[in-house]
Amino acid sequence: PELILKDIAVIENELRAYDATLLERPRILVPTKLDLWAEDSEERAAILKALATTQRPIVPISAATGENLKALIEQTSRLCFRAKSETMT
């Protein structure tokens, strides 16, 4: 789990270096390969707990099985709608 948080920090640093305003935009954390995670595994629980510390929406998905893809689309739509509403006010 610590490696995942380090990876997120690296990506955020790259965004900051490219254009710091990108960090102001809403983001969703999308861990992939959900089909490979044992549902009751300690590792899965630890990963999700670590990701929760980022205080960002988390939608784990499996492209192979399609699991949670609808949830990802819905979450993305909500963020886009919210961002659009905020720019109109």
Side-chain angles (χ1 to χ4, degrees):
E2 296 82 26
L3 183 58
I4 291 170
L5 294 177
K6 287 180 184 177
D7 289 345
I8 291 169
V10 167
I11 292 168
E12 289 179 343
N13 286 333
E14 289 177 4
L15 286 172
R16 187 177 294 106
Y18 180 74
D19 181 351
T21 63
L22 293 174
L23 294 172
E24 298 169 13
R25 295 185 181 186
R27 293 182 296 259
I28 303 170
L29 297 177
V30 185
T32 59
K33 303 194 184 304
L34 182 59
D35 53 298
L36 302 180
W37 299 9
E39 213 170 299
D40 59 349
S41 76
E42 290 180 22
E43 181 181 22
R44 177 182 178 149
I47 289 169
L48 292 176
K49 184 177 179 180
L51 290 175
T53 66
T54 67
Q55 300 181 350
R56 301 204 189 306
I58 304 162
V59 184
I61 65 163
S62 169
T65 66
E67 187 175 358
N68 278 351
L69 291 180
K70 184 176 179 183
L72 177 60
I73 292 167
E74 290 170 355
Q75 182 69 29
T76 304
S77 294
R78 279 193 294 275
L79 283 179
C80 289
F81 181 75
R82 189 177 317 139
K84 185 176 179 182
S85 296
E86 289 173 2
T87 59
M88 297 181 117
T89 56

